[in-house]
Structures are given as structure tokens and as C-alpha cells.
Amino acid sequence: MTAARIGLPTALMHSYYRSFWKPFFEELGLEVIETGPTTKAILNKGIRYSVPEICAPMKIYTGHVLELLDQGVDWIYIPRFVSIRKGDVFCPKFLGLPDMLKHTIPDLTSKMVTHHLNVKHENIACMKEYLEIGKLFTSNYRKIKNAVQTGRKKWLEFRKYCVLERYNCQTANGKVFTGKPALQSDLPIKIGVIGYVYNVYDDILGMDIISRLYKLGANTVTFEMLEQGEIDRQLRGYKKRLFWAFSNKLLASAHQFFRDATIDGIIHVTAFGCGPDSFLGKILEINFSQSPKPFMTVRVDEHTGESHLQTRVEAFIDMIAKSKNFKE
Amino acid sequence: MKLTFPYMGSTIIYQKLLQLLDHEVIMPPRPTQRTINLGVKYSPEFACFPYKVLLGSYIESLELGADTIITSGGHGPCRAGLYSEIHLKTLRNLGYHVDMIVFDDIYHYPKLFLERLRMIKNHKSFLQLIRAIYTSYQLAHAIDSLQKFMEIKQAYELEQGAFAKAFEIMRQKFAKAANTVKDVQCLQREGEMLFSSIPVHEPPESQKVRIGIVGEIYVVIESSINTGIAALLNKLGCEVTRSLYVSEWVDHALPRFIKKSDTAIIKNSKKYMEMGIGGHEIHNIGHMIHYKEQGFDGIVHLMPFACLPELITQSLIPKISIDLDMPILTLAIDEQSGAANTLTRLEAFVDLVRNHKLQKAG
Ligand code: SF4
Ligand code: SF4
């Protein structure tokens, strides 16, 4: 008997939790199918099934789900992210995502594996949330527990690379799964990049901005490198934080990046039509209007051209390089 | 302290409340294109449309001399709960000396809530405060009940504008003379009599067209920014019922134990949406189903451009429309929505609804 195949849409939170999900489902005896980097074809599928005004990350996720259906997998895992920190929630679109997909994509319902992820810690690998999922595939409790533990170990390893060794989400996944170390060399410039993992590391939206910067002589730091405790410390001054877990992570890392004297400039990568980022952006604009540190917002959507991004990034790095030379 | 407040629906309700407590009140002017332009100018591009209108409206009130804004808070998951924070930051950044009294959820911040209450109570006693709140609450219900009546019968008025005129007369009377619950009741009866005396020509049942309106609260309630959609539909000969009125919004905000519940309506939405996602979506979906059950002929779904939860609702609508066998039109409202444009789309929609009704009958 061949193993049942479960598809993980390689979009939205996938790169942040891949190191948990993949081993978890494999330990349960399933074959895991990932859709890989977003392609034009995947994007176009998503566009066809989405309302035009919805943000590109949602269209892209929809595209990955359709791609999995086309590949004929048996199951598709579509979690509903509700909360990963007490008091924080997810963007309303995440809260409604499984409902939206179920009612817009025909034939999805019978294949969809979904549940609420509502935990107090960003380490989502716990029996409370995954026992029910495991039970869909085995009645062996120990096997499920084992799968959760294996997954958790991998995910913690992933986080360790991010926090302790300054890997970003993408390179840390590379390290965990293939042992490949991140490219790191002494570059003259350091840039803080603020953006959700599904924007920064998506091939179509982020257009590999991290490597682009690297080629231009800039190392990057991202929010993944901050631990949750550090995030909360940075936000202590706020009477009211933002409501959304990852938006708060971005806000906190922005604070840290503005404070850190070794960081030369900050780039905010955001999707057109992003609601949470509209407020995050305004807060940054006002709170740091006095800061001399260069700050730039890059808005991306499915139509953004590569040359546009390249030009802006080049100009930004150019300016920083010049002012650095000037100082020295 | 010169108080002002967000412009939403019949503003005399808030005005009344604050005046009964002896506050000096600066009435926010009814939003115009200028209000909207001001708001747009100082807001992030992808901020919600209600956020932009309110910002513009605050600026206009501040220009008139207000120095303190009373508003509600919240804690997500949608953006509305952050409006006050970002508004205040923006206004101060623009150089206005302004304070905000924000009423956050009594459950999350009970101490703060009481403190705020004490601030607006002024020198009055708590008993007087409660009386003032109760009076304004009744006032909200009275005005809404007249408005509901109007949005149905106006479709059949013989003399165009008769209802609007009568409503305006009543509004002014309420503003002037409704100082106790008894006043409110008297005026409501007077209003009902006045409305009933307006000549109408009602067609036979089979030719009536009933439209239900659902959507994001601000654009559903505030006629100055939804291009007066209820009146437009009335003009096209349709009866209109909205899913939300100010008084009901107040009911929603009430503590759970005194809240009137519409759980039955919300329960219906489960099939399409498992949980509330921050706006009024489950309420809206529940109402769509409820409209169907009550024999309505069509539904208009209003959403601010790029509204997060309503985009999800919009995604569900094709399916809901098929399941309910009911035409549903989504209209996105933003700074460019003009009455002329909306009217064209509504005309086409009403034609569709009438045909659909005929087909079903035949
Ligand atoms: S946070 Fe922004 S980009 Fe992400 S799903 Fe919500 S609106 Fe879209
Ligand atoms: S429901 Fe829509 S309009 Fe209201 S806060 Fe959310 S996004 Fe903005």
C-alpha cells in the first residue's frame, strides 16, 4: 500500500512552520507534497479563484491549494491560525481563510484537513492542537505523540539557527533540511528587512530581495532573528500593541533595528492592500520621523516588476554607501 | 473641555447624552467631500475607509474648536480597535492639541472604563449619568424605529421628498425637546402619526421588491458616505431594511448580561463561517439567510474598499447567492464612490432582482 499524500501549500506561514509540519506528517506515515516556490502559473490559478481586491499573499495561497488539487493529493493541510500568543490574534483574513477556500474552490472540502491553531506560544507543536489532526491518520496515540515531538525538535532547531546564529527563515530551513550553511561574509552594509515571511521569501512578491541586497554588498537582519521575549521587551512602551502576532513581531524588530547602531538602513516590504501594515507603517512613520536612519517602504503585489524593485533597492544601498564613505 | 465625537448615524444621540451631562459639545459636521479628502490626505493609503472619514471628521471638529474626542476602543481582531491610537498619533503629529477619551472594553480594562465614565459624568451624580445614558439609548431606538419605517414606506411616497422632510422635522424636534424618556416616547408617537399621514401608493404584494442591506457597520449606517443608498433604493421603488442601526450597534457594545441577543441569526452563519473574524461578517451572513427566510428579493452588501473581513465575506457571496437563490450585489465604498455611479449599478441590480422575482413567480 502506498502512503497517502498530504499537500502543504508552500505559502503564508509555511516557511515559518515547515520544519514542524513536514516531519510531523511524515512521522504519521504520510507522504508530504510541497508546492515549492510560487510560479507565475500558480499565481494565475490563485488569481482566477480570488476576489480582485484581496491581498496578493491570499491569492498566492489559493494558487498553491489549487496546484495541490491538480496534483491529485489525498489531503491538503490548511490550518486556521487564530493566535500564537496570549492577547494577539491573526489578521482577519487568516481567521477566515479555510472558510473562504472551502466555499470558493469546488471539491476542496473533502480533502481539506483543518483545525484552529489557538495557542499561547509561537511553538505550535503541541498535542492540544495536533492530537485531533493525528487521529485522522492513525489511532495510535503514541505515534501521534512521537510525531509531534519529532516535529517540535526540528522546529526548535530551526528557531535556534534563527535566533542564535542569525539565519533567516529561508536559510534556516535550508540548514535544517539539507545542512547547507547560510552565505555569510563580512559585508560593509547591514540592512534590517521588515516583512512577513510570505512576502519577503516569496519568489514572486519578495523577488529574492535578500540575495539582491547581498549582491549589492549588504547583509540583512530580519524579525525571525529575535526571540519572543525580546519582541515583548521592545513593545513594553506601548499602551496598546497591535493586535496581530506577526505585525507585532515586525513592529518590535523595527524598534530594535532603529536602535541598533550597526544597522545602516531599514526596508519595509509590504503587500498592496495589507490592512495590518497600513497601521504598522503609520506608526513607524510617526515614531521614527526623527531618526536619521534611512527607511524605505517597498510595496509589492502580483504586478510589481523586478526592475522596479531592483532600481529602488540599488538606489537605497547607493545612498547608504555614499553617506558611509563620507563619514569615514 | 470642548467635546466632540465620531460622526456616525444620527449624531443627536451622542449630542444629547453629552448635553444632558452639561458638557460643551462641538457637533461634528456631516461628512462632505472635503471631510473625505482631508481624511484621505493624512491616512495611509490602505487604511480602512471609515478610518479615513473619521480622521477628516475629527479635523473638522477640531477646526471648530473641539479639544477632546470621545470614542470607543476595542481589541481586535480587526483594525477598528486601533483607530483611536493611530488617529491620536496622527492628529498630534499634525500639530493639534487634542485629547481622547477612549472607552475600551469594560472586561479588558474595567478600571480604565470607570475612570473614563467619571470623566464624562462631569459634576453629575451616577444616578443622573445613568438616566442620561438611558434617555439617549431610548432616543437612539426611537429615531431608528422611525428610520426603519421610513426606509420601507418611502418607496411608495406620492410626493417625492415627503418622508425626508418629515424625518428632518422630527429630528429637529428630538434634538430640541427630547430630554427625558417620556419626551422621547411622546415624540416617537408624534413621529409615527406624522409618517402615517404621508400619502403613499402601495402596489400589490407580488410587485413589491424588498432589499436587505448588510455590510461593514460604518458604511451601512452612515448615509453621508454610502451615497445615501437606502434612499436611492427607495427611489427605485424598493423597500429597504438594513442589518444594522445605531441603536443595535449600541446593543452590541453592551455588556453581555444585558445584551439583547441575536444569537439565532448569527448561528445560521456557521455553515459558511466558523468564527467571527473581526467585523460583522457572521452577523451579515446570518442576516442574508434571515432575509431569505423572510421573503426578501435581493441583498446589497456594502463594504469599505479593502476591508479585511468583508473581503472574505465577498469571497463567500457567490456561493451564498446560489445556495439562497438570491441576487446579491457587493458595492465597495471609497472616496471615489459617487451617487451617480452607485445609482447606475443599483438600477441594473434592481432590474435583475425584478426579473428574478418574475421568473420565480412564473
Ligand atoms: S496581514 Fe496583510 S498581507 Fe497578510 S493576509 Fe492580512 S492583509 Fe494580507
Ligand atoms: S471591519 Fe473593515 S473597516 Fe472595520 S476595521 Fe476592519 S478592515 Fe477596517
Side-chain angles (χ1 to χ4, degrees):
Chain A
M1 203 181 86
T2 54
R5 304 195 313 155
I6 188 160
L8 306 183
T10 315
L12 291 181
M13 295 320 304
H14 180 263
S15 61
Y16 203 73
Y17 288 113
R18 177 182 186 216
S19 51
F20 165 57
W21 288 333
K22 191 168 187 290
F24 168 73
F25 285 114
E26 280 170 355
E27 283 294 315
L28 287 175
L30 293 150
E31 184 186 344
V32 170
I33 309 291
E34 291 171 296
T35 32
T38 309
T39 59
K40 264 263 152 359
I42 290 180
L43 169 68
N44 286 336
K45 285 185 196 181
I47 290 176
R48 226 172 304 133
Y49 279 81
S50 308
V51 291
E53 288 84 23
I54 208 157
C55 58
M58 285 288 152
K59 290 180 185 158
I60 287 178
Y61 192 87
T62 308
H64 282 269
V65 170
L66 288 158
E67 170 70 19
L68 287 167
L69 278 178
D70 289 346
Q71 291 188 17
V73 298
D74 304 298
W75 304 101
I76 302 179
Y77 177 57
I78 303 175
R80 186 192 306 261
F81 275 94
V82 178
S83 174
I84 55 163
R85 179 187 172 276
K86 192 160 183 271
D88 283 6
V89 285
F90 273 76
C91 161
K93 291 180 194 165
F94 275 88
L95 300 182
L97 178 66
D99 298 317
M100 177 177 86
L101 294 173
K102 202 160 75 184
H103 294 289
T104 48
I105 303 179
D107 309 325
L108 176 63
T109 311
S110 61
K111 297 192 167 183
M112 185 158 97
V113 174
T114 185
H115 61 151
H116 291 217
L117 272 172
N118 193 354
V119 289
K120 295 199 174 66
H121 192 279
E122 66 161 354
N123 182 354
I124 58 171
C126 59
M127 284 300 268
K128 173 178 159 281
E129 301 297 324
Y130 280 91
L131 177 61
E132 290 307 313
I133 296 291
K135 276 194 194 157
L136 295 173
F137 305 106
T138 173
S139 50
N140 184 338
Y141 181 86
R142 291 202 52 135
K143 192 167 170 187
I144 302 173
K145 198 162 171 190
N146 197 25
V148 170
Q149 270 167 0
T150 311
R152 182 194 295 145
K153 240 174 68 201
K154 273 270 188 232
W155 185 77
L156 288 173
E157 201 184 312
F158 160 84
R159 286 302 289 146
K160 195 190 77 197
Y161 283 121
C162 294
V163 174
L164 297 181
E165 301 190 30
R166 317 229 106 200
Y167 278 66
N168 66 38
C169 199
Q170 202 166 36
T171 51
N173 273 321
K175 178 78 181 160
V176 167
F177 285 104
T178 63
K180 193 172 139 223
L183 283 175
Q184 271 172 347
S185 43
D186 248 351
L187 294 176
I189 295 173
K190 190 149 113 191
I191 300 292
V193 176
I194 317 173
Y196 304 118
V197 293
Y198 49 83
N199 289 332
V200 175
Y201 306 110
D202 184 84
D203 275 15
I204 296 237
L205 291 179
M207 293 179 268
D208 229 353
I209 187 168
I210 302 285
S211 328
R212 277 172 205 272
L213 287 165
Y214 190 82
K215 280 184 206 134
L216 292 169
N219 273 322
T220 44
V221 285
T222 51
F223 82 85
E224 304 93 279
M225 301 170 188
L226 300 189
E227 205 199 343
Q228 186 61 40
E230 179 63 28
I231 302 269
D232 291 335
R233 250 192 312 285
Q234 294 289 349
L235 296 183
R236 262 199 306 233
Y238 283 84
K239 260 203 326 256
K240 201 180 213 173
R241 302 155 50 116
L242 294 170
F243 302 141
W244 315 285
F246 280 89
S247 312
N248 274 324
K249 283 177 185 274
L250 297 190
L251 180 58
S253 48
H255 273 270
Q256 144 84 31
F257 297 165
F258 269 107
R259 215 163 278 163
D260 182 343
T262 69
I263 292 177
D264 303 299
I266 295 169
I267 301 179
H268 180 201
V269 181
T270 174
F272 267 89
C274 175
D277 275 6
S278 68
F279 281 2
L280 171 69
K282 193 72 192 177
I283 293 178
L284 296 181
E285 180 194 316
I286 294 179
N287 283 8
F288 298 106
S289 56
Q290 304 302 328
S291 166
K293 205 169 272 196
F295 174 74
M296 165 170 95
T297 303
V298 180
R299 283 215 182 80
V300 290
D301 70 359
E302 61 270 34
H303 312 296
T304 312
E306 251 177 62
S307 58
H308 172 77
L309 182 85
Q310 184 67 20
T311 322
R312 292 205 57 198
V313 170
E314 266 172 27
F316 190 69
I317 297 298
D318 238 28
M319 172 185 71
I320 289 173
K322 281 206 186 101
S323 79
K324 272 191 105 137
N325 285 337
F326 186 70
K327 269 186 226 147
E328 274 156 15
Chain B
M1 202 163 56
K2 291 186 180 165
L3 287 176
T4 191
F5 46 83
Y7 194 99
M8 182 167 94
S10 301
T11 39
I12 56 170
I13 303 159
Y14 326 105
Q15 181 192 19
K16 189 80 326 147
L17 173 62
L18 296 173
Q19 281 172 349
L20 287 174
L21 297 170
D22 281 348
H23 284 292
E24 194 177 343
V25 181
I26 305 285
M27 285 291 280
R30 184 179 158 86
T32 59
Q33 196 59 40
R34 174 179 187 264
T35 323
I36 295 174
N37 292 348
L38 273 174
V40 168
K41 183 165 170 200
Y42 298 114
S43 302
E45 186 181 352
F46 297 112
C48 343
F49 188 54
Y51 171 93
K52 297 180 183 174
V53 179
L54 287 174
L55 180 62
S57 172
Y58 290 153
I59 293 177
E60 290 187 327
S61 297
L62 295 175
E63 286 170 352
L64 292 175
D67 55 26
T68 307
I69 300 166
I70 294 195
T71 184
S72 61
H75 58 278
C78 210
R79 289 182 272 179
L82 283 168
Y83 280 11
S84 56
E85 300 278 309
I86 319 273
H87 277 143
L88 185 62
K89 237 182 214 306
T90 305
L91 290 170
R92 289 201 171 140
N93 198 46
L94 287 173
Y96 289 103
H97 296 282
V98 54
D99 278 314
M100 268 200 180
I101 303 181
V102 183
F103 281 90
D104 262 306
D105 188 338
I106 186 165
Y107 285 97
H108 279 67
Y109 312 93
K111 265 240 277 317
L112 218 61
F113 191 89
L114 282 180
E115 198 181 293
R116 298 285 140 85
L117 220 51
R118 218 164 267 141
M119 272 173 94
I120 71 149
K121 174 171 88 65
N122 224 355
H123 53 84
K124 299 276 183 175
S125 70
F126 266 104
L127 191 70
Q128 284 166 314
L129 171 69
I130 289 172
R131 202 174 291 144
I133 293 179
Y134 190 65
T135 307
S136 328
Y137 178 73
Q138 293 301 334
L139 179 60
H141 274 280
I143 292 181
D144 284 348
S145 111
L146 288 178
Q147 196 154 7
K148 281 182 198 173
F149 186 93
M150 170 169 89
E151 288 173 357
I152 289 173
K153 296 290 178 196
Q154 189 168 243
Y156 312 123
E157 64 184 3
L158 285 173
E159 183 198 332
Q160 224 189 49
F163 270 99
K165 213 156 77 203
F167 188 75
E168 184 51 30
I169 291 172
M170 286 319 298
R171 208 186 57 82
Q172 283 175 14
K173 284 198 176 174
F174 273 115
K176 230 194 274 142
N179 295 321
T180 63
V181 172
K182 203 137 166 243
D183 298 341
V184 173
Q185 286 164 346
C186 287
L187 283 168
Q188 181 172 356
R189 256 185 312 248
E190 187 184 328
E192 281 160 5
M193 262 149 63
L194 180 61
F195 276 19
S196 308
S197 70
I198 296 175
V200 291
H201 172 73
E202 295 202 30
E205 214 30 55
S206 64
Q207 282 169 32
K208 286 186 176 174
V209 175
R210 296 200 168 89
I211 305 280
I213 295 183
V214 297
E216 186 277 334
I217 176 165
Y218 195 74
V219 291
V220 169
I221 289 184
E222 191 33 57
S223 65
S224 66
I225 68 162
N226 69 19
T227 64
I229 189 150
L232 287 180
L233 282 164
N234 285 157
K235 231 183 241 157
L236 296 173
C238 306
E239 295 184 10
V240 174
T241 302
R242 287 185 273 144
S243 62
L244 272 165
Y245 292 83
V246 174
S247 55
E248 287 158 13
W249 174 71
V250 176
D251 285 339
H252 279 287
L254 287 178
R256 263 156 263 177
F257 55 92
I258 23 176
K259 182 149 68 185
K260 275 201 241 140
S261 96
D262 38 19
T263 31
I265 288 185
I266 288 175
K267 218 171 72 206
N268 281 333
S269 68
K270 271 265 150 121
K271 181 173 158 212
Y272 296 100
M273 208 177 264
E274 261 182 49
M275 60 182 287
I277 63 174
H280 285 84
E281 58 294 319
I282 43 177
H283 195 255
N284 284 335
I285 295 173
H287 267 284
M288 292 185 206
I289 298 168
H290 191 59
Y291 285 143
K292 172 70 188 179
E293 289 165 356
Q294 292 184 318
F296 278 60
D297 305 298
I299 295 171
V300 175
H301 169 232
L302 293 179
M303 60 181 261
F305 183 76
C307 170
L308 310 169
E310 295 307 333
L311 272 171
I312 302 285
T313 311
Q314 191 194 359
S315 311
L316 299 176
I317 278 179
K319 181 78 186 333
I320 297 176
S321 175
I322 292 172
D323 289 357
L324 298 182
D325 187 24
M326 169 90 98
I328 306 179
L329 170 73
T330 294
L331 281 178
I333 308 275
D334 69 3
E335 57 267 28
Q336 274 137 30
S337 323
N341 192 5
T342 313
L343 188 61
T344 321
R345 296 200 53 194
L346 286 180
E347 275 168 347
F349 179 67
V350 171
D351 280 345
L352 183 96
V353 171
R354 283 189 199 278
N355 282 336
H356 185 257
K357 189 173 170 130
L358 276 179
Q359 254 170 27
K360 271 204 313 196

